[in-house]
Amino acid sequence: DAGITQSPRHKVTETGTPVTLRCHQTENHRYMYWYRQDPGHGLRLIHYSYGVKDTDKGEVSDGYSVSRSKTEDFLLTLESATSSQTSVYFCAIGTGAPPLHFGNGTRLTVT
Amino acid sequence: DQQVKQNSPSLSVQEGRISILNCDYTNSMFDYFLWYKKYPAEGPTFLISISSIKDKNEDGRFTVFLNKSAKHLSLHIVPSQPGDSAVYFCAASGSGTYKYIFGTGTRLKVLA
Protein backbone atom coordinates (compact mmCIF):
# COMPACT_ATOMS: atom_id res chain seq x y z
CA ASP A 1 0.00 0.00 0.00
CA ALA A 2 3.05 2.27 -0.23
CA GLY A 3 2.38 3.62 3.25
CA ILE A 4 -1.01 5.16 2.54
CA THR A 5 -3.87 5.02 5.02
CA GLN A 6 -7.34 6.27 4.24
CA SER A 7 -9.89 6.86 6.97
CA PRO A 8 -12.63 6.04 7.47
CA ARG A 9 -12.86 3.00 5.16
CA HIS A 10 -16.64 3.16 5.11
CA LYS A 11 -19.03 5.97 5.94
CA VAL A 12 -22.76 6.52 5.65
CA THR A 13 -24.00 10.06 6.03
CA GLU A 14 -27.11 12.08 5.36
CA THR A 15 -27.66 14.65 2.67
CA GLY A 16 -26.58 18.11 3.75
CA THR A 17 -24.08 17.04 6.39
CA PRO A 18 -20.38 17.87 6.18
CA VAL A 19 -17.96 15.00 5.67
CA THR A 20 -14.18 14.89 5.86
CA LEU A 21 -12.07 12.06 4.49
CA ARG A 22 -8.47 11.70 5.52
CA CYS A 23 -5.43 10.45 3.67
CA HIS A 24 -2.25 9.84 5.61
CA GLN A 25 1.08 8.86 4.07
CA THR A 26 4.36 7.77 5.57
CA GLU A 27 6.42 8.05 2.36
CA ASN A 28 7.13 11.79 2.54
CA HIS A 29 5.94 12.17 -1.08
CA ARG A 30 5.35 15.70 -2.29
CA TYR A 31 2.25 15.05 -4.38
CA MET A 32 -1.10 13.82 -3.10
CA TYR A 33 -4.33 13.27 -4.99
CA TRP A 34 -8.00 12.57 -4.43
CA TYR A 35 -9.92 10.55 -7.01
CA ARG A 36 -13.44 9.19 -7.07
CA GLN A 37 -14.45 5.97 -8.80
CA ASP A 38 -17.92 5.57 -10.26
CA PRO A 39 -19.37 2.98 -12.65
CA GLY A 40 -19.07 4.17 -16.22
CA HIS A 41 -16.75 7.02 -15.26
CA GLY A 42 -13.63 5.26 -14.09
CA LEU A 43 -11.33 7.26 -11.87
CA ARG A 44 -11.79 11.02 -11.91
CA LEU A 45 -9.45 13.51 -10.32
CA ILE A 46 -11.07 15.74 -7.70
CA HIS A 47 -8.16 17.77 -6.32
CA TYR A 48 -4.46 17.33 -5.92
CA SER A 49 -1.68 18.86 -3.88
CA TYR A 50 1.87 19.66 -4.93
CA GLY A 51 3.09 20.66 -1.50
CA VAL A 52 2.00 21.85 1.92
CA LYS A 53 -0.77 24.41 1.45
CA ASP A 54 -0.47 24.07 -2.35
CA THR A 55 -3.49 22.55 -4.04
CA ASP A 56 -5.20 22.63 -7.41
CA LYS A 57 -8.47 21.52 -8.92
CA GLY A 58 -9.03 18.37 -10.91
CA GLU A 59 -11.77 17.28 -13.31
CA VAL A 60 -14.64 17.14 -10.81
CA SER A 61 -13.84 19.59 -8.02
CA ASP A 62 -17.28 21.20 -7.56
CA GLY A 63 -18.67 20.48 -4.09
CA TYR A 64 -15.29 19.46 -2.69
CA SER A 65 -12.53 21.28 -0.86
CA VAL A 66 -9.14 20.05 0.29
CA SER A 67 -6.49 21.03 2.75
CA ARG A 68 -2.90 20.02 3.32
CA SER A 69 -1.33 21.50 6.42
CA LYS A 70 1.31 18.78 6.76
CA THR A 71 3.22 16.75 4.19
CA GLU A 72 1.70 13.53 5.42
CA ASP A 73 -1.98 14.48 5.53
CA PHE A 74 -4.40 15.43 2.76
CA LEU A 75 -8.01 16.04 3.73
CA LEU A 76 -11.01 15.99 1.41
CA THR A 77 -14.12 17.80 2.66
CA LEU A 78 -17.64 17.67 1.34
CA GLU A 79 -19.15 20.81 2.85
CA SER A 80 -22.74 19.65 2.32
CA ALA A 81 -22.94 16.09 1.07
CA THR A 82 -25.30 15.22 -1.78
CA SER A 83 -26.43 11.84 -3.11
CA SER A 84 -24.36 12.41 -6.25
CA GLN A 85 -21.26 12.27 -4.06
CA THR A 86 -21.94 8.67 -3.14
CA SER A 87 -18.80 7.02 -4.45
CA VAL A 88 -15.57 5.27 -3.65
CA TYR A 89 -12.82 7.78 -2.94
CA PHE A 90 -9.16 6.97 -3.49
CA CYS A 91 -6.14 8.84 -2.29
CA ALA A 92 -2.91 8.58 -4.25
CA ILE A 93 0.63 9.80 -3.65
CA GLY A 94 3.56 10.49 -5.94
CA THR A 95 7.08 11.86 -6.07
CA GLY A 96 6.54 13.89 -9.24
CA ALA A 97 7.77 11.05 -11.42
CA PRO A 98 5.34 8.26 -12.34
CA PRO A 99 3.73 6.16 -11.07
CA LEU A 100 1.18 7.13 -8.49
CA HIS A 101 0.46 4.78 -5.62
CA PHE A 102 -3.04 4.40 -4.31
CA GLY A 103 -4.65 3.75 -0.96
CA ASN A 104 -7.40 1.19 -0.48
CA GLY A 105 -10.25 3.64 -0.72
CA THR A 106 -13.14 5.03 1.32
CA ARG A 107 -16.66 3.97 0.42
CA LEU A 108 -19.00 6.89 1.07
CA THR A 109 -22.78 6.57 0.96
CA VAL A 110 -24.92 9.70 1.14
CA THR A 111 -28.56 8.91 1.96
CA ASP B 1 -14.93 15.72 -22.33
CA GLN B 2 -13.21 12.38 -21.75
CA GLN B 3 -9.55 12.83 -22.61
CA VAL B 4 -8.71 9.17 -22.01
CA LYS B 5 -11.12 6.57 -23.28
CA GLN B 6 -11.43 2.84 -22.87
CA ASN B 7 -14.21 1.86 -25.22
CA SER B 8 -14.54 -1.75 -24.13
CA PRO B 9 -16.19 -2.01 -20.70
CA SER B 10 -15.49 -5.73 -20.51
CA LEU B 11 -13.45 -8.50 -22.10
CA SER B 12 -13.44 -12.27 -21.65
CA VAL B 13 -10.48 -14.41 -22.63
CA GLN B 14 -9.59 -18.06 -22.24
CA GLU B 15 -6.73 -18.94 -19.93
CA GLY B 16 -3.46 -19.15 -21.84
CA ARG B 17 -4.60 -16.90 -24.66
CA ILE B 18 -3.68 -13.26 -25.28
CA SER B 19 -5.64 -10.41 -23.67
CA ILE B 20 -5.56 -7.09 -25.50
CA LEU B 21 -6.88 -4.02 -23.73
CA ASN B 22 -7.17 -0.76 -25.62
CA CYS B 23 -7.04 2.89 -24.70
CA ASP B 24 -7.40 6.07 -26.77
CA TYR B 25 -6.54 9.62 -25.82
CA THR B 26 -7.30 13.00 -27.31
CA ASN B 27 -4.77 15.33 -25.73
CA SER B 28 -1.56 15.49 -27.78
CA MET B 29 0.25 17.00 -24.77
CA PHE B 30 0.16 13.69 -22.93
CA ASP B 31 3.62 12.18 -22.89
CA TYR B 32 3.48 9.43 -20.30
CA PHE B 33 1.05 6.56 -20.11
CA LEU B 34 0.39 4.01 -17.42
CA TRP B 35 -1.70 0.91 -16.84
CA TYR B 36 -3.18 -0.01 -13.48
CA LYS B 37 -4.93 -3.14 -12.30
CA LYS B 38 -7.70 -3.05 -9.72
CA TYR B 39 -9.20 -5.87 -7.70
CA PRO B 40 -12.50 -5.40 -5.82
CA ALA B 41 -12.24 -3.58 -2.50
CA GLU B 42 -8.61 -2.63 -3.17
CA GLY B 43 -6.89 0.41 -4.59
CA PRO B 44 -5.48 0.41 -8.13
CA THR B 45 -1.97 -1.00 -8.40
CA PHE B 46 0.57 0.11 -10.96
CA LEU B 47 1.30 -2.42 -13.68
CA ILE B 48 3.40 -0.96 -16.49
CA SER B 49 4.11 2.37 -18.15
CA ILE B 50 5.50 3.88 -21.33
CA SER B 51 7.00 7.20 -22.27
CA SER B 52 6.05 8.91 -25.51
CA ILE B 53 9.61 8.51 -26.78
CA LYS B 54 9.06 4.76 -26.98
CA ASP B 55 6.56 2.66 -28.87
CA LYS B 56 6.83 -0.50 -26.79
CA ASN B 57 7.63 -1.51 -23.24
CA GLU B 58 7.71 -5.05 -21.96
CA ASP B 59 7.66 -6.50 -18.45
CA GLY B 60 7.23 -10.23 -18.22
CA ARG B 61 3.81 -11.23 -19.51
CA PHE B 62 2.79 -7.58 -19.96
CA THR B 63 3.59 -5.41 -22.96
CA VAL B 64 2.34 -1.92 -23.66
CA PHE B 65 2.31 -0.53 -27.19
CA LEU B 66 1.99 3.15 -28.01
CA ASN B 67 0.91 4.54 -31.38
CA LYS B 68 1.31 8.31 -31.07
CA SER B 69 -0.02 9.17 -34.49
CA ALA B 70 -3.24 7.32 -33.71
CA LYS B 71 -3.25 8.46 -30.06
CA HIS B 72 -3.75 4.87 -29.07
CA LEU B 73 -2.16 2.51 -26.62
CA SER B 74 -2.77 -1.11 -25.83
CA LEU B 75 -1.85 -3.58 -23.12
CA HIS B 76 -1.10 -7.16 -24.11
CA ILE B 77 -1.11 -9.93 -21.53
CA VAL B 78 0.39 -13.21 -22.70
CA PRO B 79 -0.43 -15.81 -21.54
CA SER B 80 -3.52 -14.73 -19.64
CA GLN B 81 -4.09 -16.29 -16.24
CA PRO B 82 -7.20 -16.44 -14.04
CA GLY B 83 -5.45 -14.19 -11.51
CA ASP B 84 -5.35 -11.47 -14.17
CA SER B 85 -9.12 -11.08 -13.84
CA ALA B 86 -9.55 -7.49 -12.67
CA VAL B 87 -10.45 -4.03 -13.88
CA TYR B 88 -7.69 -2.37 -15.89
CA PHE B 89 -7.32 1.40 -16.12
CA CYS B 90 -5.11 3.32 -18.48
CA ALA B 91 -3.88 6.74 -17.41
CA ALA B 92 -2.06 9.63 -19.05
CA SER B 93 0.02 12.52 -17.88
CA GLY B 94 1.45 15.58 -19.61
CA SER B 95 4.92 17.06 -19.38
CA GLY B 96 5.15 19.75 -16.75
CA THR B 97 1.87 18.77 -15.13
CA TYR B 98 1.37 16.38 -12.31
CA LYS B 99 -2.20 15.47 -13.13
CA TYR B 100 -2.95 11.89 -14.10
CA ILE B 101 -6.11 11.41 -16.14
CA PHE B 102 -7.64 7.97 -16.08
CA GLY B 103 -9.89 6.10 -18.47
CA THR B 104 -13.17 4.45 -17.56
CA GLY B 105 -11.67 0.98 -17.15
CA THR B 106 -12.04 -2.43 -18.79
CA ARG B 107 -13.11 -5.45 -16.77
CA LEU B 108 -11.07 -8.45 -17.84
CA LYS B 109 -12.28 -11.94 -17.07
CA VAL B 110 -9.90 -14.82 -17.75
CA LEU B 111 -11.77 -18.08 -18.02
CA ALA B 112 -10.12 -21.25 -16.71
Side-chain angles (χ1 to χ4, degrees):
Chain A
D1 292 348
I4 307 168
T5 304
Q6 291 188 233
S7 58
R9 291 296 313 276
H10 301 272
K11 185 167 182 68
V12 180
T13 192
E14 292 185 349
T15 298
T17 60
V19 176
T20 295
L21 309 183
R22 181 181 184 235
C23 178
H24 178 79
Q25 60 144 331
T26 58
E27 305 297 318
N28 200 36
H29 284 348
R30 178 180 174 186
Y31 297 87
M32 298 186 75
Y33 304 77
W34 278 107
Y35 285 86
R36 60 179 287 177
Q37 184 194 5
D38 304 288
H41 292 280
L43 289 160
R44 292 181 291 176
L45 179 64
I46 305 171
H47 282 280
Y48 71 104
S49 168
Y50 47 96
V52 173
K53 293 187 169 46
D54 293 321
T55 64
D56 201 356
K57 295 179 179 180
E59 305 164 89
V60 289
S61 58
D62 288 348
Y64 301 95
S65 62
V66 289
S67 66
R68 191 165 177 206
S69 59
K70 298 185 291 185
T71 298
E72 58 266 34
D73 290 324
F74 193 31
L75 304 180
L76 177 71
T77 297
L78 292 65
E79 300 290 347
S80 178
T82 67
S83 59
S84 65
Q85 294 175 312
T86 292
S87 187
V88 181
Y89 291 86
F90 288 99
C91 173
I93 64 173
T95 62
L100 297 184
H101 296 283
F102 284 82
N104 281 328
T106 293
R107 182 173 294 276
L108 176 68
T109 303
V110 183
T111 61
Chain B
D1 181 29
Q2 193 81 24
Q3 297 185 68
V4 179
K5 302 176 186 179
Q6 294 176 256
N7 291 318
S8 298
S10 63
L11 175 68
S12 291
V13 172
Q14 285 294 132
E15 181 179 5
R17 304 296 293 268
I18 184 171
S19 295
I20 300 176
L21 294 91
N22 293 305
C23 180
D24 297 295
Y25 62 96
T26 58
N27 190 338
S28 58
M29 299 302 290
F30 288 147
D31 63 357
Y32 206 89
F33 305 89
L34 308 90
W35 284 95
Y36 283 79
K37 178 168 71 173
K38 186 184 179 305
Y39 293 120
E42 295 182 8
T45 55
F46 170 69
L47 197 55
I48 192 170
S49 63
I50 188 166
S51 162
S52 60
I53 63 172
K54 295 185 175 182
D55 54 18
K56 177 182 173 181
N57 188 26
E58 197 169 352
D59 183 2
R61 296 185 299 113
F62 303 92
T63 303
V64 56
F65 295 92
L66 176 62
N67 182 334
K68 290 185 290 294
S69 61
K71 295 190 178 67
H72 176 83
L73 63 155
S74 61
L75 174 68
H76 292 210
I77 306 173
V78 183
S80 301
Q81 301 173 352
D84 297 329
S85 296
V87 177
Y88 289 79
F89 292 100
C90 63
S93 178
S95 175
T97 79
Y98 300 97
K99 292 184 183 182
Y100 293 76
I101 305 300
F102 283 75
T104 51
T106 296
R107 183 178 302 276
L108 173 65
K109 188 171 184 179
V110 180
L111 307 170

